[in-house]
Amino acid sequence: MIERIVDFSVKFRFLVITLTILLIGTGVYMTMHLPVDAVPDVTNIQVQINTDAPGMGAVEVEKLITFPIEASMMGLPDIDKIRSLSKTALSQVTVVFKDQVDIYFARRLVMERLQVAKAQIPKGIGTPVMGPISSGLGEIYQYTVEGDGHTLLELRTIQDWIVRYQLLTIPGVTEVNSFGGFTKQYQVIVDPDRLVAHDLSLKDIFTSLEENNANVGGAYIEHASEQYIVRGIGLISSTKDVENIILKARDGTPVHIKDVAKVLIGPEVRYGAVTKDGKGEVVTGIVMSLIGANSREVVNRVKKKIEEIKRSLPKGVTIKPFYDRSELINKCIKTVTNALIIGGGLVFIVLFGFLGNLRSAFIVAINIPLAALIAFVLMKVQGMSANLMSLGGLAIGIGMMADSSIVMVENIYRHLYEDSNRDKSIVKITLISAKEVARPIVFAILIIIVVFLPLFTLQGIEGKMFKPLAFTISFAMLGSLILSLTLAPALCSLMLKVKTQENENVILRLVKKPYLSLLKKALHHNRITVITAVALLAISFGIMSRLGSEFMPQLDEGAIAVQAIRLPSISLTNSIGTCEAIEKTIMKFPEVETVVSKTGRAEIATDPMGQEISDIYVILKPRREWNVKNKDELIEKMNEELNLIPGIAYGFSQPIELRVSELISGVRSDIAIKVFGEDMSILKEKAEEIKGVISVMDGVVEPKVEQVAGLPVLQIEIDRESISRYGINIYDVQYVIETAIGGKVATQVLEGQKRFDLIVRYPHESRNNINSVKNILINAPAGERVPLGQLASITIEEGPAQISREHSQRRVAVECNLLGRDIGGFVSEAKEKIERNVDLPSGYYIVWGGQFELQQRANKRLAIIVPLTILIIFLLLFSSFNSLRNSTLIIMNIPFAIIGGFPAMWIAGENLSVPASVGFIALFGIAVENGIIMIQYLNQLRQEGLGLHEAILKGAENRLRPVLMTALTTALGLIPILLSHGTGSEIQKPLATVVVGGLISSTFLTLIVLPTLYGWFEKKGV
């Protein structure tokens, strides 16, 4: 089959070239339409269920809303976990599904169960709604709506009803979340004294407002030859309409709303705010992209639409972006593109240097971009995006893509100068030479693809991060295999010529003589050679034991996210004031372009923060304008300055990293120690003990316990005996508490297409302290008006700030980040110290989360799959060589490849991580490929009748060039990644370091130790 493909390609070479041209056209088209993003979307398949419960405390929210929703979700197919958060006025339940579940199917399942949950939630408390169909990478564009002479209420109205609705028309945009400013609201501020004077109750006002705001239809009437549609117009359209609503008539004198209340336009009660650059509050919009949408295209559409919207805004109002995902995307793509271009150039130099022939070098080099185009076509068919990891697969595999063509072209090129081939035609020489290496090429490439099998088995965030890389490399290697068997022989038969002698190039001449001398010594002292290799392997493993470990290096997003945490009792107004002070401090740094702080939660609570927490986005200037060496130094200096502001704890992260970490694991730090149990006070106590243990450990920064207590609560506990004496029901008291103090929506006012709530509430002075609340009057059936203080115990107590649950159990998390220390080493030490110093009661236990959880899961899977993959490779080798001896020899090349990998990581200061593991996996494939090339040729020479020693020397000499070329092209192709400081290079550097270091040892051992072992095995008859 393989030989037929080669025959066809050489015989119909012009057809092959024509098909190649078609491939170029198709590839360019597919590339132009390939979705582009910064990194793969690693967010798990999840559905958020948010329930607004105005005025309700965390305990009530958990009992009445969160638990019924959690219970209704249990038993759904393919659920991974259920998390929840209950806090003042909000319940959020997150249902996480397994990765294979389609997001729309998951939402349909959740929607069906929500109907059951709604029936169990008491009427009027809140309505559960699903969050937007977005992900951790969904917040692609953020902006402020600003305008001199316009109030925050006016700007928020413009954002909600002009900007937001126009942006929602853009394909790929699933939601535009408004944050900051004040939401417009019609307010009926009732005077309690006037209410008593007119013998009215809050219910009377509420009912009148509901009954005096409607349009109706009266079908139609016929008049003469015409038909009139009947409309009854009664909708409220202004504050004057509200004021003139009648409540009752006394002795023919009407009592209107305006007689007992003030009607005004004011702000809705809010749970969050946004400030900017230390200059005060602003209104912002957060554009969220649909899952699976092309982020760069969506951002470009948003920017284009915003320019159109600007023209329709009121005079003086403008839109200013402060976060644009396309900037990160472009930086990541630029990093990989530069690596591809520079790497490709270095590969071509190597090819020309070793072959000494421009045409041969061109034939090999042309296969690299063509293999990349095949990969792009298959990526488009697979529905993949071009991102840091998928394109990184091409950058990492740029040298490997040339390997098969190198072996093919080098063998054809070498045969052109052999004496026995001088009388043969170029076509015949090409066929003989191509068929000679076609089979080992196929097996070598097949094995490289099999080597990446472990990456396809990874799950969760690590799977979503590295599967695109594995797919891309596999696609590219498959493309390179097809091209090496078809285009390469076809072009060789057209472009190369039979020569009388080969002018050996300088590089090969300089290398060959010392190599053969060293090989002869190694063959003569074979025991010393093998023992030395084993000793080097042992030293390498010794170095490995000194390396740290982590899940994944941090991707530098080019921005900083600072999390400011205050006491739970702080007011929103005070939080806003401290944010302005923080922003002024940060703006002093010349590296900072702008600072935007988000305190509390937005209209759609995708990030359910309390008023005590602020996420501060620090947008940085280009690096050339910095006065510090790196971002770590900048963060250190910022932290020093910010710590001068009292009463605030800080955490430093990055916008995407912060959001993704929270969505995936429910925490915002590298390490999360989750304490599970029932009693919140015990959970908090044990969490504080754990914090005390880890706080004194080396490398721990920003240790904190999830704030679950310390929220002041004005608690009104109704005395049932007292209300029974007056014939008052619980509902009557609760109704007044809800309406008079909190404010209750009676109806809506329509202004064109705009809709605004109309609420009823007491004035501020009648509800702003405990004594005012005690004096609120409750109507009794007999006509008495009883002060609330006589019907209930009213006290100020400390209540829970929030209640977190996971797997239907309460939990409190202890979080921390690490600086200058690996995660694996920290966790091992911390586990030992916590077990020794913290005594957990029965029924309470600890679960480790954050990046450590992901690292452990990846390591466990790789520990099973990598040995299984090596076994598969061995079976493939055995099926190819039909020799246990040869298969074992080639497999022995794998551990020898490790010799250079660990020392290279140690020198570079890298930790063991998932990218490093991927590097070793790639290295195994290259080592096996080189082993196949060497052993296959040695066997061929033996079959031709050469003696063992002569076959080893001649085979090693003839295979020196292709082995060196494959190693150097792969290594030099990775040099740009090793030297790069661009965005995204942090993730690829460990991988490149392992491969380059391992190639040095692998190549040397393939050329020296493998022939030595071959001779030893053959002599001993192993």
Side-chain angles (χ1 to χ4, degrees):
M1 177 65 181
I2 297 169
E3 292 181 354
R4 287 180 183 177
I5 292 172
V6 174
D7 278 332
F8 178 87
S9 301
V10 175
K11 186 176 181 181
F12 300 100
R13 48 191 179 274
F14 290 107
L15 175 60
V16 170
I17 293 170
T18 303
L19 292 173
T20 304
I21 294 169
L22 289 175
L23 167 67
I24 293 170
T26 305
V28 170
Y29 174 83
M30 292 290 197
T31 305
M32 296 292 290
H33 292 81
L34 201 61
V36 180
D37 210 332
V39 291
D41 190 346
V42 298
T43 313
N44 42 30
I45 304 299
Q46 61 175 242
V47 180
Q48 272 189 354
I49 305 162
N50 297 321
T51 310
D52 287 322
M56 295 193 70
V59 175
E60 286 71 36
V61 168
E62 182 197 30
K63 286 181 180 178
L64 303 177
I65 301 174
T66 303
F67 183 75
I69 294 175
E70 275 188 11
S72 67
M73 296 301 146
M74 292 177 187
L76 284 176
D78 294 322
I79 280 186
D80 187 36
K81 68 175 73 169
I82 299 175
R83 292 195 310 266
S84 69
L85 182 69
S86 303
K87 59 196 314 171
T88 303
L90 177 70
S91 164
Q92 184 178 84
V93 178
T94 303
V95 185
V96 181
F97 289 84
K98 292 178 181 176
D99 288 339
Q100 72 270 17
V101 179
D102 179 75
I103 182 63
Y104 296 99
F105 177 67
R107 290 175 69 87
R108 194 181 79 184
L109 291 174
V110 169
M111 176 59 76
E112 289 173 358
R113 291 294 182 91
L114 266 185
Q115 308 312 311
V116 177
K118 286 176 182 177
Q120 297 175 4
I121 297 172
K123 188 177 180 181
I125 287 181
T127 304
V129 293
M130 291 192 294
I133 313 171
S134 194
S135 68
L137 296 181
E139 296 178 358
I140 56 172
Y141 194 83
Q142 301 185 40
Y143 59 87
T144 58
V145 180
E146 302 177 20
D148 295 333
H150 291 269
T151 65
L152 288 170
L153 189 144
E154 291 170 338
L155 293 172
R156 177 61 183 264
T157 303
I158 291 168
Q159 156 61 19
D160 286 343
W161 297 100
I162 297 177
V163 180
R164 178 175 179 269
Y165 276 96
Q166 291 194 54
L167 290 177
L168 284 171
T169 64
I170 299 171
V173 172
T174 185
E175 185 56 81
V176 179
N177 204 358
S178 299
F179 203 168
F182 298 97
T183 302
K184 183 177 175 179
Q185 189 179 64
Y186 283 76
Q187 299 177 346
V188 177
I189 308 300
V190 180
D191 186 326
D193 297 330
R194 290 188 185 182
L195 208 60
V196 173
H198 290 284
D199 193 25
L200 291 167
S201 67
L202 279 173
K203 277 187 181 178
D204 296 330
I205 293 177
F206 203 86
T207 303
S208 294
L209 290 170
E210 283 183 314
E211 293 177 351
N212 284 272
N213 184 32
N215 282 2
V216 297
Y220 63 88
I221 60 173
E222 293 185 3
H223 178 73
S225 60
E226 294 181 325
Q227 178 174 292
Y228 298 159
I229 302 297
V230 179
R231 293 176 63 213
I233 308 298
L235 284 174
I236 296 170
S237 60
S238 66
T239 55
K240 190 175 180 180
D241 288 345
V242 179
E243 290 173 341
N244 291 326
I245 290 175
I246 191 167
L247 296 170
K248 72 176 187 177
R250 178 183 293 173
D251 299 327
T253 304
V255 179
H256 297 95
I257 291 286
K258 63 185 176 184
D259 296 324
V260 297
K262 290 181 181 178
V263 181
L264 49 86
I265 292 173
E268 186 180 292
V269 174
R270 59 178 183 162
Y271 295 93
V274 182
T275 54
K276 182 181 178 184
D277 295 340
K279 297 176 182 177
E281 290 191 54
V282 292
V283 174
T284 65
I286 304 166
V287 181
M288 304 176 75
S289 68
L290 191 67
I291 287 179
N294 187 335
S295 294
R296 188 163 68 171
E297 281 188 13
V298 176
V299 171
N300 289 337
R301 291 185 202 128
V302 169
K303 290 194 281 191
K304 185 178 178 181
K305 189 69 175 180
I306 281 177
E307 291 305 313
E308 295 176 13
I309 295 171
K310 283 181 180 179
R311 293 193 288 269
S312 64
L313 295 177
K315 189 176 180 181
V317 178
T318 188
I319 299 171
K320 294 181 180 179
F322 65 88
Y323 180 79
D324 182 347
R325 176 67 55 75
S326 64
E327 293 176 5
L328 176 63
I329 294 171
N330 292 335
K331 286 177 183 177
C332 287
I333 299 302
K334 183 181 178 182
T335 298
V336 179
T337 305
N338 288 344
L340 280 167
I341 293 170
I342 297 169
L346 291 172
V347 167
F348 183 79
I349 291 170
V350 170
L351 294 173
F352 181 69
F354 273 92
L355 292 172
N357 182 284
L358 193 60
R359 292 183 180 185
S360 299
F362 170 78
I363 293 170
V364 176
I366 195 65
N367 280 274
I368 296 173
L370 291 176
L373 285 177
I374 291 174
F376 287 138
V377 171
L378 294 175
M379 284 168 66
K380 179 67 175 174
V381 171
Q382 189 73 13
M384 295 169 56
S385 68
N387 54 56
L388 179 67
M389 297 310 295
S390 59
L391 293 182
L394 293 179
I396 290 159
I398 191 168
M400 289 189 281
M401 284 189 278
D403 286 354
S404 55
S405 295
I406 285 172
V407 175
M408 177 64 74
V409 174
E410 191 276 339
N411 202 52
I412 294 171
Y413 185 70
R414 182 174 55 81
H415 275 273
L416 291 175
Y417 296 94
E418 290 184 356
D419 293 338
S420 58
N421 289 328
R422 287 182 184 176
D423 298 329
K424 296 176 184 175
S425 67
I426 183 67
V427 172
K428 193 168 184 179
I429 294 172
T430 300
L431 283 172
I432 293 170
S433 308
K435 290 177 183 179
E436 192 176 275
V437 293
R439 186 177 176 82
I441 284 174
V442 171
F443 270 89
I445 298 300
L446 179 62
I447 284 171
I448 285 181
I449 294 173
V450 170
V451 158
F452 286 98
L453 179 65
L455 299 188
F456 292 107
T457 67
L458 291 176
Q459 296 178 324
I461 180 173
E462 62 273 22
K464 292 184 179 182
M465 183 64 80
F466 290 100
K467 278 181 184 177
L469 182 146
F471 270 116
T472 309
I473 288 183
S474 299
F475 291 158
M477 296 307 295
L478 180 63
S480 71
L481 174 61
I482 294 168
L483 292 167
S484 65
L485 296 177
T486 55
L487 184 63
L491 290 177
C492 284
S493 67
L494 284 171
M495 297 177 66
L496 300 184
K497 296 179 181 178
V498 181
K499 299 284 185 177
T500 55
Q501 63 177 11
E502 177 182 6
N503 297 321
E504 191 174 48
N505 63 71
V506 179
I507 296 173
L508 204 57
R509 188 166 62 247
L510 289 173
V511 172
K512 188 178 286 187
K513 189 174 180 181
Y515 164 63
L516 290 174
S517 174
L518 183 61
L519 178 61
K520 288 173 184 176
K521 290 178 181 178
L523 291 169
H524 183 67
H525 303 286
N526 51 17
R527 290 180 181 272
I528 296 173
T529 302
V530 175
I531 290 169
T532 302
V534 173
L536 289 173
L537 184 62
I539 292 169
S540 181
F541 277 114
I543 292 172
M544 180 198 73
S545 65
R546 295 178 174 272
L547 295 174
S549 63
E550 61 183 347
F551 174 61
M552 197 177 299
Q554 189 182 62
L555 168 69
D556 184 1
E557 299 175 25
I560 299 172
V562 183
Q563 192 176 49
I565 304 173
R566 311 163 189 84
L567 292 174
S569 58
I570 195 170
S571 66
L572 180 59
T573 303
N574 206 331
S575 284
I576 292 168
T578 57
C579 269
E580 291 179 12
I582 292 170
E583 289 166 2
K584 286 175 182 176
T585 301
I586 294 175
M587 286 298 293
K588 292 177 184 176
F589 290 88
E591 295 82 5
V592 175
E593 183 174 320
T594 189
V595 184
V596 178
S597 302
K598 301 175 181 177
T599 303
R601 62 179 186 262
E603 180 182 2
I604 301 171
T606 54
D607 189 1
M609 297 188 298
Q611 78 283 347
E612 77 278 9
I613 301 176
S614 298
D615 281 347
I616 302 164
Y617 281 45
V618 182
I619 310 302
L620 302 174
K621 294 177 182 176
R623 294 234 175 193
R624 60 180 177 273
E625 300 179 32
W626 288 20
N627 294 331
V628 294
K629 292 179 182 177
N630 52 47
K631 193 198 277 190
D632 288 340
E633 185 182 343
L634 178 60
I635 288 173
E636 191 176 337
K637 290 185 175 182
M638 278 185 184
N639 198 25
E640 288 175 6
E641 291 292 321
L642 290 174
N643 281 326
L644 298 176
I645 303 173
I648 306 174
Y650 300 98
F652 290 85
S653 184
Q654 301 179 101
I656 295 176
E657 182 183 0
L658 185 69
R659 186 79 185 106
V660 169
S661 295
E662 186 179 32
L663 280 174
I664 289 173
S665 59
V667 295
R668 295 174 161 226
S669 303
D670 294 341
I671 300 290
I673 308 166
K674 301 175 183 178
V675 188
F676 286 84
E678 181 61 32
D679 192 299
M680 290 300 295
S681 59
I682 296 176
L683 288 173
K684 186 176 185 300
E685 177 190 340
K686 295 303 173 184
E688 291 290 349
E689 290 179 20
I690 291 170
K691 180 192 172 186
V693 171
I694 66 171
S695 294
V696 295
M697 292 176 60
D698 292 338
V700 173
V701 292
E702 304 149 10
K704 56 182 179 286
V705 175
E706 181 182 346
Q707 295 196 17
V708 295
L711 185 69
V713 178
L714 194 152
Q715 188 155 302
I716 304 172
E717 188 169 351
I718 301 169
D719 186 334
R720 291 183 180 271
E721 288 188 9
S722 297
I723 63 172
S724 65
R725 284 197 296 269
Y726 294 98
I728 298 172
N729 292 315
I730 290 280
Y731 172 78
D732 299 326
V733 181
Q734 300 284 42
Y735 183 87
V736 174
I737 293 170
E738 181 184 17
T739 307
I741 301 174
K744 188 172 182 179
V745 176
T747 185
Q748 284 189 325
V749 179
L750 305 185
E751 294 181 6
Q753 293 188 13
K754 302 184 185 76
R755 295 169 180 266
F756 304 103
D757 288 339
L758 189 154
I759 70 152
V760 178
R761 181 190 287 157
Y762 275 5
H764 183 70
E765 60 273 12
S766 298
R767 55 184 175 84
N768 66 340
N769 59 62
I770 192 167
N771 290 325
S772 298
V773 173
K774 285 181 178 180
N775 292 326
I776 292 175
L777 299 177
I778 310 295
N779 287 13
E784 306 102 313
R785 293 181 184 267
V786 186
L788 181 58
Q790 294 181 18
L791 303 174
S793 169
I794 303 175
T795 57
I796 295 177
E797 300 180 2
E798 185 180 288
Q802 66 179 46
I803 300 171
S804 298
R805 296 165 61 90
E806 202 168 308
H807 299 300
S808 299
Q809 284 191 291
R810 288 178 170 180
R811 61 108 170 131
V812 174
V814 184
E815 301 178 36
C816 70
N817 290 318
L818 299 179
L819 186 64
R821 182 165 187 185
D822 67 288
I823 291 176
F826 164 77
V827 172
S828 297
E829 183 184 348
K831 279 184 174 180
E832 182 184 342
K833 289 187 174 181
I834 290 170
E835 190 173 344
R836 191 168 59 245
N837 296 294
V838 179
D839 184 26
L840 292 176
S842 176
Y844 291 74
Y845 61 94
I846 289 173
V847 173
W848 290 78
Q851 288 203 15
F852 173 75
E853 181 184 11
L854 305 175
Q855 179 189 347
Q856 290 295 98
R857 184 175 63 195
N859 289 345
K860 284 179 181 177
R861 184 158 288 270
L862 289 175
I864 298 170
I865 299 299
V866 171
L868 184 61
T869 302
I870 293 173
L871 176 62
I872 293 171
I873 291 171
F874 181 82
L875 294 174
L876 286 171
L877 290 171
F878 185 76
S879 67
S880 175
F881 287 95
N882 200 25
S883 166
L884 194 62
R885 180 191 307 164
N886 290 338
S887 303
T888 305
L889 267 175
I890 295 170
I891 283 293
M892 288 174 69
N893 226 24
I894 290 177
F896 291 144
I898 295 173
I899 290 174
F902 292 129
M905 291 181 66
W906 182 66
I907 293 168
E910 299 285 355
N911 290 322
L912 287 170
S913 60
V914 177
S917 300
V918 174
F920 279 112
I921 287 169
L923 194 58
F924 294 166
I926 299 167
V928 170
E929 179 188 36
N930 285 337
I932 290 172
I933 292 169
M934 180 66 77
I935 299 299
Q936 181 84 16
Y937 192 60
L938 293 178
N939 287 341
Q940 181 184 326
L941 292 176
R942 292 294 307 282
Q943 290 169 4
E944 290 174 0
L946 291 180
L948 178 61
H949 189 73
E950 186 183 357
I952 290 173
L953 288 176
K954 185 178 180 182
E957 180 182 0
N958 287 342
R959 282 292 170 258
L960 175 63
R961 179 161 60 183
V963 168
L964 285 178
M965 286 172 69
T966 54
L968 278 173
T969 50
T970 302
L972 289 177
L974 292 171
I975 292 297
I977 294 175
L978 284 178
L979 301 179
S980 173
H981 296 285
T983 301
S985 60
E986 307 87 358
I987 293 177
Q988 295 173 342
K989 273 186 180 179
L991 195 158
T993 301
V994 167
V995 174
V996 171
L999 274 174
I1000 295 171
S1001 64
S1002 174
T1003 304
F1004 179 77
L1005 294 167
T1006 299
L1007 293 171
I1008 300 296
V1009 179
L1010 192 61
T1012 303
L1013 286 171
Y1014 181 84
W1016 197 3
F1017 276 39
E1018 290 291 322
K1019 280 182 182 178
K1020 301 291 183 180
V1022 176

